[in-house]
Amino acid sequence: MQTHNLGYPRIGSNRELKKACEQYWQRRIDGRQLEQTARAIRNNNWQLQKDAGIDLIPVNDFSFYDQVLDTCLMTGAIPERYHPLMERERLNDLDLFFAMARGYQQNGYDLTAMEMTKWFDTNYHYIVPEFRKDQKFSFFNQTVIHQFIEAKKAGYAAKPVLIGPVTFLLSGKEKEAGFHRIDLLKNLLPVYIEVLEKLDACGAFYVQLDEPCLALDLSREEQQALIIAYTTLQKRVPNIKIILTNYFDCFGKNLETALSLPVHTLHVDLVRCPSQLDDILATGFVNARTHLSLGIVDGRNIWKNNFQRSLTLIETAKQKIGADRIWLAPSCSLLHVPCDLDMETEEKNLTGEIKQWVAFAKQKLAEVAVLKQIATSPDKPNSKALLAENTRCIEARNTSSLIHNQQVKARVTAITASDAERKSSFPIRKEKQQELDLPLFATTTIGSFPQTKEIRNWRAQWKKQQLSDTDYNQLLQEATNKAIQWQETIGLDVLVHGEFERNDMVEYFGEQLAGFAFTQNGWVQSYGSRCVKPPVLYGDVCRPRPMTVGWSAYAQSLTGKPVKGMLTGPVTILQWSFVRDDQPRSVTCNQIALAIRDEVLDLEKAGIKIIQIDEPAIREGLPLRKEQQPEYLKWAVTAFRITSAGVQDKTQIHTHMCYSEFNDIIDHIAAMDADVITIETSRSQMELLDAFASFEYPNDIGPGVYDIHAPRVPSKEEMMGLMEKALTYIPAERLWVNPDCGLKTRGWEETSQALIAMVQAAKTLRKKI
Ligand code: GLN
Ligand code: ZN
């Protein structure tokens, strides 16, 4: 029985990579210094995995920004607009890579970044590969080889990790008509062959190829593509032993395809799908020689593994195929969990009792190793003690009084259909909302303004009690005041208070709700250098007191223009937390929905006329398999409606979503029945509006007119162009004008330039029409 790991968090346990990248972008360190930090993180991770008892260590799971973008570079899939950067500007691969990720605005160039979207059902964002009909591929960037050599030289049992060719193609987008990206496989395969050959020549034995597309509903052609790909790779590079991984869901209807692939090891996610083990272990597999990698420790959540349960699964597999053909691993890459629980030292965060229910990346690897030990040497005294200790922790959690609140449970049970119905339909509400007296193409922002260093410093000092509550609030009030005045000056129509008091849109609410615990250092990569610190939702949720009313009321008191109340929706709070796994997600979501509903009603009472309930994560919560989607959508949409339905007709409810494909769920987005929805569209050039137009989406829409994820400032003309394009989809009286998302990660300089231009664009268009 071997242990291996699919991937380790690369941000560094103190977010070293984030800090170094940002310094590099600001030209405060050079490429050599950035590379030094990266090397230290890689070496540290390898050592730590080895120390934890992992037999095979992943390499090339490291990335400066995103592993899909790495794959674009590896295969030479570099969109044409960046070619002058290589040819004329002679940018090195690293700078080219960052230009593709973040856009490039210097030396007379004005190149937009590549599109980003969510990786399967995670909150990790990847860069979307762009493909053309005559797409050429070549083995362009050789980082995978260098990193393998680096690890091998340092003495590690290194296993290079690559995104598989089929998942890579499927994760991209066709940039012209007349072909399907899967048709490109024959052009792409030679690159993978070359990579494997080179790895073979350098002494690699195993290579892990990730094909999580196996967790999707694949067409016959796509299944066929997998067969062609792996038969070819096996034939052309027979020395390399391929570990084919699937995760985030079971194989479903792809099982037969998966089992027929000529690979050395097949990895399955037994956390999401323990029941598929029996299907896999049918006769065909038993008689074959393929190894089975059991993804047994949850790579997506932070709860301690239940050893008893895992050992039962391991035992089932062992009975059928014997210990030699079994590998043990986390269910997926550990990219999606924080690095190290040992760094949680502050009692007020993850308190003693809760901490013993939890495992982070490093601890999860130890669990994998311990499971191997217990499964292979159950009689060792140590094995017995480890199992007993685990059983004690699992029991302690099951019976803890911290978790259960009867009142909350009763209120959820008492929810009725009318709790999710607004008083009138949208046309009637729209009429009553004319009171708000907004112009055509009303301009607004998504909520947050730049979280400057200064503001983060105040918060840090306040948390360390170096700044009193009064002083901290005073400073935040000043920032809010300034933001309101500035928004009035530049002529925005619907203002926001700026969210200066918030560290994060989920953490801020979690901190004020009962049932959540926090980490000091539980960072997880969200996109590029951006990390989030998801709360730990461990118990029944309720709202002891109002959470945002003070700030919204204060901001509204400063201006005659409407200020939007700003809340995070129940599905997003659920989705972006580490959620309890001891009750259905839908029940937890309804508990949150009721708490937010109370907040909405309190805001209305305090005179707030527009309330935005952000649900950027509604799409990402969608199960990967179609057959499970209707049920999810039903409870998710209902939860949103529960939060918003209590208000008067004249109170305008907004929602906001980013990075979403809406095509397949547009009817459910419409069923949320927000008066206004703002969405992220600028990177896709308004393409996303197609879904809204074809569905004849009835309510107001604010498609983002500029990309806030990169510092690039769009011109007024560019934004007018996008708005005019939007007008071909949406009638003028239902079109809003806003950026793609909140501005908290931006600086004031680019923010003010962009927003001034945005307001001017709206004004010019009003005159034109
Ligand atoms: N209101 C939030 C903000 O502006 C929304 C962020 C998001 O959609 N991710 O920051
Ligand atoms: Zn957003």
Side-chain angles (χ1 to χ4, degrees):
M1 213 179 273
Q2 280 229 73
T3 56
H4 71 135
N5 182 26
L6 273 53
Y8 198 78
R10 56 218 175 197
I11 52 175
S13 46
N14 282 308
R15 285 182 301 157
E16 293 86 346
L17 186 64
K18 169 202 177 65
K19 292 168 196 162
C21 280
E22 288 173 358
Q23 284 179 330
Y24 180 69
W25 298 334
Q26 294 159 7
R27 295 173 198 267
R28 283 167 42 214
I29 61 171
D30 60 21
R32 203 181 38 84
Q33 288 166 299
L34 177 60
E35 182 50 40
Q36 237 165 31
T37 303
R39 187 169 311 136
I41 293 173
R42 289 194 293 264
N43 279 279
N44 193 31
N45 286 353
W46 295 333
Q47 188 59 42
L48 179 154
Q49 296 181 80
K50 189 176 168 186
D51 291 346
I54 296 301
D55 300 323
L56 271 182
I57 313 280
V59 304
N60 197 45
D61 53 342
F62 179 85
S63 175
F64 281 108
Y65 204 95
D66 164 47
Q67 70 272 16
V68 182
L69 183 58
D70 287 342
T71 316
C72 292
L73 239 72
M74 179 183 90
T75 59
I78 295 155
E80 223 156 280
R81 64 181 178 283
Y82 305 107
H83 288 193
L85 297 183
M86 301 185 269
E87 288 149 14
R88 251 178 288 144
E89 301 301 311
R90 307 225 162 269
L91 250 54
N92 62 27
D93 283 11
L94 181 67
D95 290 332
L96 173 66
F97 176 85
F98 284 141
M100 290 161 76
R102 310 178 68 237
Y104 189 82
Q105 254 191 333
Q106 47 182 299
N107 301 345
Y109 291 92
D110 187 4
L111 304 175
T112 53
M114 289 171 78
E115 209 181 313
M116 253 195 297
T117 196
K118 281 176 181 166
W119 181 239
F120 293 79
D121 59 352
T122 73
N123 183 27
Y124 174 82
H125 305 67
Y126 74 94
I127 299 277
V128 182
E130 299 179 12
F131 298 127
R132 312 207 69 94
K133 198 170 171 182
D134 62 350
Q135 184 71 45
K136 303 260 184 311
F137 297 99
S138 65
F139 189 10
F140 179 79
N141 176 282
Q142 313 226 340
T143 300
V144 56
I145 309 291
H146 303 151
Q147 295 199 353
F148 173 71
I149 294 173
E150 183 180 296
K152 191 167 172 252
K153 272 201 185 137
Y156 296 102
K159 171 193 62 170
V161 177
L162 296 168
I163 293 179
V166 178
T167 296
F168 175 59
L169 288 176
L170 291 181
S171 66
K173 241 187 187 176
E174 295 89 353
K175 284 290 153 180
E176 61 194 338
F179 78 109
H180 189 283
R181 56 202 186 282
I182 205 76
D183 304 340
L184 302 174
L185 184 67
K186 55 184 178 311
N187 298 356
L188 178 63
L189 271 181
V191 178
Y192 275 81
I193 292 172
E194 206 182 326
V195 175
L196 295 192
E197 280 172 348
K198 223 171 213 155
L199 284 169
D200 179 25
C202 298
F205 194 67
Y206 295 108
V207 174
Q208 173 184 321
L209 286 157
D210 287 348
E211 292 285 10
C213 69
L214 281 160
L216 306 173
D217 300 312
L218 293 181
S219 68
R220 274 272 262 301
E221 293 71 37
E222 290 160 347
Q223 291 176 341
Q224 197 55 36
L226 281 159
I227 294 175
I228 294 172
Y230 288 90
T231 319
T232 313
L233 292 179
Q234 201 275 333
K235 206 181 306 153
R236 296 289 303 276
V237 203
N239 278 343
I240 290 288
K241 306 209 173 328
I242 292 178
I243 303 159
L244 184 92
T245 68
N246 175 41
Y247 38 81
F248 302 151
D249 210 332
C250 43
F251 292 108
K253 297 202 172 78
N254 306 318
L255 181 62
E256 207 181 309
T257 307
L259 291 175
S260 74
L261 301 175
V263 295
H264 179 272
T265 300
L266 193 62
H267 172 86
V268 301
D269 181 341
L270 288 183
V271 174
R272 283 289 171 91
C273 272
S275 59
Q276 72 178 320
L277 185 60
D278 289 333
D279 300 338
I280 294 168
L281 291 172
T283 348
F285 193 87
V286 172
N287 295 332
R289 296 214 320 269
T290 319
H291 290 60
L292 190 60
S293 160
L294 307 178
I296 207 130
V297 168
D298 196 348
R300 293 284 299 276
N301 210 336
I302 45 108
W303 304 110
K304 225 174 225 175
N305 187 263
N306 182 332
F307 284 179
Q308 293 284 6
R309 209 183 288 158
S310 297
L311 289 165
T312 310
L313 291 167
I314 298 171
E315 193 51 37
T316 308
K318 211 165 111 185
Q319 295 288 334
K320 294 268 182 154
I321 58 174
D324 289 349
R325 278 171 67 197
I326 296 176
W327 288 17
L328 297 183
S331 59
C332 59
S333 165
L334 297 173
L335 180 66
H336 310 289
V337 292
C339 292
D340 187 1
L341 189 63
D342 293 342
M343 296 185 58
E344 300 299 319
T345 49
E346 273 175 33
E347 190 56 20
K348 71 176 167 41
N349 288 303
L350 219 51
T351 58
E353 187 171 349
I354 301 170
K355 195 174 169 184
Q356 54 165 342
W357 307 338
V358 170
F360 290 174
K362 190 173 125 193
Q363 288 71 31
K364 283 172 184 289
L365 293 177
E367 290 185 334
V368 171
V370 170
L371 280 168
K372 168 175 155 178
Q373 189 200 307
I374 304 178
T376 50
S377 333
D379 297 327
K380 270 196 190 165
N382 184 8
S383 298
K384 291 212 168 96
L386 288 165
L387 181 57
E389 168 60 11
N390 177 268
T391 310
R392 190 192 62 74
C393 290
I394 301 291
E395 261 317 288
R397 179 171 163 223
N398 284 343
T399 53
S400 170
S401 60
L402 285 180
I403 294 179
H404 306 283
N405 177 333
Q406 292 315 322
Q407 246 170 320
V408 173
K409 291 186 205 295
R411 203 173 158 206
V412 167
T413 322
I415 291 173
T416 63
S418 68
D419 291 330
E421 286 297 333
R422 281 195 73 172
K423 300 186 173 51
S424 311
S425 63
F426 176 70
I428 299 174
R429 301 195 312 255
K430 176 139 179 141
E431 195 49 49
K432 295 198 182 155
Q433 289 164 17
Q434 296 303 325
E435 246 181 55
L436 291 166
D437 199 21
L438 297 169
L440 209 55
F441 311 132
T443 52
T444 190
T445 59
I446 305 305
S448 58
F449 279 129
Q451 283 271 331
T452 56
K453 216 190 213 137
E454 210 180 9
I455 293 175
R456 277 176 306 182
N457 274 340
W458 300 340
R459 183 151 43 247
Q461 287 181 347
W462 171 65
K463 289 213 161 152
K464 283 190 225 142
Q465 295 180 340
Q466 292 162 354
L467 202 62
S468 71
D469 291 359
T470 325
D471 290 346
Y472 176 58
N473 281 324
Q474 178 86 37
L475 289 166
L476 292 175
Q477 281 194 357
E478 278 162 25
T480 310
N481 197 335
K482 250 170 71 188
I484 293 284
Q485 280 181 24
W486 180 78
Q487 292 173 84
E488 280 195 332
T489 319
I490 71 160
L492 280 155
D493 301 306
V494 172
L495 313 192
V496 295
H497 76 283
E499 303 183 24
F500 301 112
E501 76 287 7
R502 302 186 188 176
N503 34 2
D504 170 272
M505 65 184 288
V506 170
E507 190 174 4
Y508 182 75
F509 289 91
E511 275 175 349
Q512 304 187 72
L513 291 165
F516 287 83
F518 293 87
T519 63
Q520 236 166 297
N521 207 39
W523 295 102
V524 179
Q525 188 178 15
S526 168
Y527 69 88
S529 68
R530 186 136 178 80
C531 301
V532 292
K533 203 147 59 81
V536 176
L537 200 175
Y538 66 88
D540 289 333
V541 176
C542 63
R543 185 192 73 140
R545 62 192 72 82
M547 305 183 281
T548 65
V549 177
W551 285 111
S552 288
Y554 171 71
Q556 186 63 81
S557 76
L558 302 169
T559 174
K561 290 202 171 171
V563 177
K564 270 195 282 193
M566 199 54 66
L567 304 172
T568 303
V571 184
T572 300
I573 293 183
L574 181 85
Q575 204 57 38
W576 291 356
S577 300
F578 289 116
V579 179
R580 57 197 287 192
D581 55 0
D582 60 346
Q583 70 180 16
R585 293 170 78 82
S586 55
V587 174
T588 311
C589 194
N590 275 340
Q591 293 183 354
I592 309 170
L594 289 172
I596 304 290
R597 177 187 173 99
D598 295 346
E599 185 72 13
V600 167
L601 293 175
D602 280 346
L603 281 169
E604 187 183 50
K605 242 184 262 159
I608 303 301
K609 298 190 169 73
I610 305 182
I611 300 166
Q612 178 172 312
I613 306 164
D614 292 325
E615 281 291 24
I618 214 155
R619 179 66 168 72
E620 108 193 9
L622 195 65
L624 298 173
R625 287 250 153 66
K626 290 224 165 48
E627 59 186 34
Q628 297 157 17
Q629 293 175 357
E631 193 204 329
Y632 161 78
L633 286 163
K634 189 153 183 272
W635 62 253
V637 169
T638 307
F640 179 85
R641 292 175 61 121
I642 291 170
T643 62
S644 57
V647 295
Q648 306 296 317
D649 287 345
K650 63 177 186 196
T651 299
Q652 190 171 66
I653 297 287
H654 289 215
T655 190
H656 164 73
M657 294 177 196
C658 27
Y659 288 133
S660 291
E661 289 289 343
F662 296 105
N663 277 311
D664 47 345
I665 57 163
I666 186 69
D667 45 338
H668 300 275
I669 305 286
M672 289 167 70
D673 199 22
D675 298 306
V676 182
I677 182 172
T678 55
I679 57 172
E680 177 274 337
T681 41
S682 78
R683 275 202 192 189
S684 67
Q685 302 294 311
M686 300 283 148
E687 257 171 45
L688 288 178
L689 286 181
D690 217 13
F692 286 83
S694 1
F695 182 73
E696 297 181 20
Y697 181 86
N699 303 7
D700 288 12
I701 313 180
V705 293
Y706 83 86
D707 175 20
I708 59 89
H709 300 91
R712 183 177 170 277
V713 176
S715 67
K716 171 183 158 192
E717 290 67 34
E718 185 179 334
M719 288 189 271
M720 281 185 66
L722 286 174
M723 284 157 63
E724 280 168 343
K725 198 157 170 202
L727 278 173
T728 63
Y729 296 102
I730 308 162
E733 59 290 356
R734 292 201 281 112
L735 185 65
W736 285 65
V737 176
N738 44 266
D740 268 345
C741 192
L743 296 157
K744 65 167 171 268
T745 57
R746 296 273 60 93
W748 268 111
E749 189 168 318
E750 72 249 24
T751 297
S752 66
Q753 284 178 32
L755 286 180
I756 289 170
M758 185 187 90
V759 171
Q760 292 313 319
K763 286 193 172 150
T764 312
L765 203 64
R766 273 173 213 151
K767 281 195 210 118
K768 238 173 119 174
I769 210 146

